[in-house]
């Protein structure tokens, strides 16, 4: 049995005890820490995240890390080993998957998502059964609370790779929430000459500067926006 954080609809969430079904051939992860994504917040406040509507109880969470509780020898994973979980589950059969572009899978399933029915349960639970290929081992010395942001950080790094080299370039980050803040840190580490963040929240603007932005502008301040958009 395992306790899990289950969303059942708008403003309807509970911690429930659930049966954990697994065999000796499965990988079981004991969850240590998880990040709360915007989609998790939308599921709670609205009962949906975009077009993904909760139609049955859904275990939330896709930004999580833990320790291997059980793993078959063939997996190469050891009990007690620290792992971050890749929450994406590509089909492996579509043209994108066959071309090695699993991130663009036409029927991608994603942990903690109500996109498909039955829904794909996530990682906000004591124990989670996951395929070995979704487990990424990491150094014992890295705190779980830090590694829990590995998934959104990977998204940001991918975006930078798609953009190409930003060494010596000016970068504008629209929105300085968690993803924006990680984008600022990644851009700074990648050699950007100047980083400007736009956000209406004073708190987010302050965090943006702490994360490496050279300036953080109130998006509702038209004069400031015009200054950075036209004169820099």
């Amino acid at each position: 049995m395992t306790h899990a954080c289950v969303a059942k609809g708008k403003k309807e969430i509970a911690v429930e005890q659930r049966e954990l079904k697994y065999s000796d051939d499965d990988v079981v992860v004991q969850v240590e820490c998880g990040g709360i994504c915007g989609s998790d917040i939308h599921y709670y406040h609205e009962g949906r995240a975009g077009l993904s509507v909760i139609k049955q109880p859904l275990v939330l969470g896709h930004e999580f890390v833990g320790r291997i509780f059980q793993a078959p020898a063939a997996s190469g994973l050891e009990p007690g080993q620290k792992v971050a979980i890749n929450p994406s589950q590509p089909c492996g059969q579509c043209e994108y998957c066959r071309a090695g572009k699993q991130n663009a899978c036409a029927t991608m399933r994603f942990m903690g998502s109500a996109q498909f029915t039955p829904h794909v349960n996530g990682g906000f639970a004591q124990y989670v059964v996951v395929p070995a290929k979704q487990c990424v081992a990491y150094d014992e010395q890295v705190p779980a609370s830090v590694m829990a942001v590995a998934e959104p950080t990977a998204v940001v790094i991918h975006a930078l790779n798609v953009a190409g080299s930003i060494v010596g370039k000016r970068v504008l980050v629209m929105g300085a929430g968690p993803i924006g803040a990680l984008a600022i840190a990644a851009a700074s580490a990648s050699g950007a000459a100047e980083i400007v963040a736009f956000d209406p929240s004073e708190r987010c603007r302050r965090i943006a500067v702490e994360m490496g932005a050279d300036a953080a502008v109130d998006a509702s301040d038209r004069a400031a926006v015009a200054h950075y958009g036209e004169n820099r």
Side-chain angles (χ1 to χ4, degrees), residues 3 41 52 55 63 76 80 89 97 121 149 159 165 180 184 210 224-225:
H3 284 90
I41 295 173
S52 301
K55 299 176 182 178
E63 302 173 7
Q89 299 176 342
C97 286
N121 287 322
V149 298
S165 174
I184 290 167
E210 292 175 356
V225 170

Side-chain angles (χ1 to χ4, degrees), residues 35-51:
I36 299 174
C37 180
S39 62
D40 298 316
I41 295 173
H42 282 295
Y43 280 131
Y44 170 70
H45 284 290
E46 302 156 20
R48 64 190 299 157
L51 298 177

Side-chain angles (χ1 to χ4, degrees), residues 70-83:
Q70 171 195 291
S75 70
L77 300 168
E78 299 288 342
Q81 188 174 22
K82 298 178 77 168
V83 290

Side-chain angles (χ1 to χ4, degrees), residues 137-186:
Y138 69 93
D139 195 286
E140 178 72 30
Q141 314 232 350
V142 180
S145 58
V146 172
M147 205 63 187
V149 298
E151 189 269 346
T153 302
V155 171
V156 168
I157 292 173
H158 174 69
L160 281 174
N161 288 337
V162 171
S165 174
I166 60 170
V167 174
K169 296 182 179 180
R170 295 171 58 219
V171 175
L172 172 63
V173 178
M174 302 291 287
I179 293 290
L182 289 170
I184 290 167

